[in-house]
Amino acid sequence: MGKLQLGLLSSHTGSNIQAIVQACQNSTLDAAPRVIISNNSGSNDLAYARAEQIPHYHLSSQTHAQAVERDRAMLQVLQHHEVNLVVLSGYMKNLGPLTLAHYRNRILNIHPSLLPRFGGQSMYGKRVHEAVLASGDTRTGITIHLVDAEYDQGPIVAQHELPILPNDTASALAQRILEQEHLFYVETLCAISQGRLKLDQLN
Ligand code: GRF
């Protein structure tokens, strides 16, 4: 698929996106951050993109009232910046059918549990870790998966397991997992860029 040209999507903090951009900048990852997109005009990731002078866009129901227009605009922006891999982190909206079809097997998301456990539309933020702790599971982790029209249901690309510690709280777990996500997302992208992990062979 050639050098990775990344389109990075996030709604709020964007700490994974920052970790990925930094890995590109310090050559840990052989990829180019081509564009950052958020549905939230006040998001941290758009402020970061401005500071780093990375092309960035706010695309939402405020900028495009109809879902089909948003989908078209998203695809246009990604194509305009020659993106060949779309990377989501904490992006709280579904992608439209045009974008999903054009980037089939080329859209990744990260989720802070071992999917299929603790995934789905209402499973985000602290809720995931609260549910993990309530389940009595002894291990949790991180999943990177391909994105399709359903929340958290696309084929799994990579998983990383972590133990649950005896006195873990949801916040402690959230923080420990997020730190690991930064490393694991970059490692997984390295494996894709070096051809060790092939997205076309997952389904
Ligand atoms: C991460 O925990 C990710 O697994 C989940 O949302 C969070 C996003 O964090 N999907 P950030 O915006 O990258 O800081």
Side-chain angles (χ1 to χ4, degrees), residues 10 13-17 89-90 109-112 178 181:
S10 177
T13 318
S15 68
N16 277 290
I17 280 169
S89 175
N109 183 40
I110 189 162
H111 184 81
L178 188 61
E181 282 184 31

Side-chain angles (χ1 to χ4, degrees), residues 10-79:
S10 177
S11 295
H12 296 289
T13 318
S15 68
N16 277 290
I17 280 169
Q18 293 188 28
I20 292 166
V21 170
Q22 281 159 14
C24 295
Q25 288 171 341
N26 68 25
S27 304
T28 307
L29 171 62
D30 184 22
R34 300 301 299 253
V35 62
I36 293 182
I37 302 170
S38 182
N39 61 305
N40 174 2
S41 61
S43 69
N44 197 42
D45 48 316
L46 288 184
Y48 174 75
R50 269 191 291 280
E52 292 295 319
Q53 300 186 325
I54 296 169
H56 51 277
Y57 296 78
H58 166 222
L59 299 179
S60 74
S61 53
Q62 286 162 26
T63 62
H64 300 80
Q66 306 294 328
V68 62
E69 293 173 8
R70 285 197 293 281
D71 189 12
R72 223 177 271 138
M74 173 72 73
L75 183 54
Q76 234 165 38
V77 166
L78 293 169
Q79 288 187 297

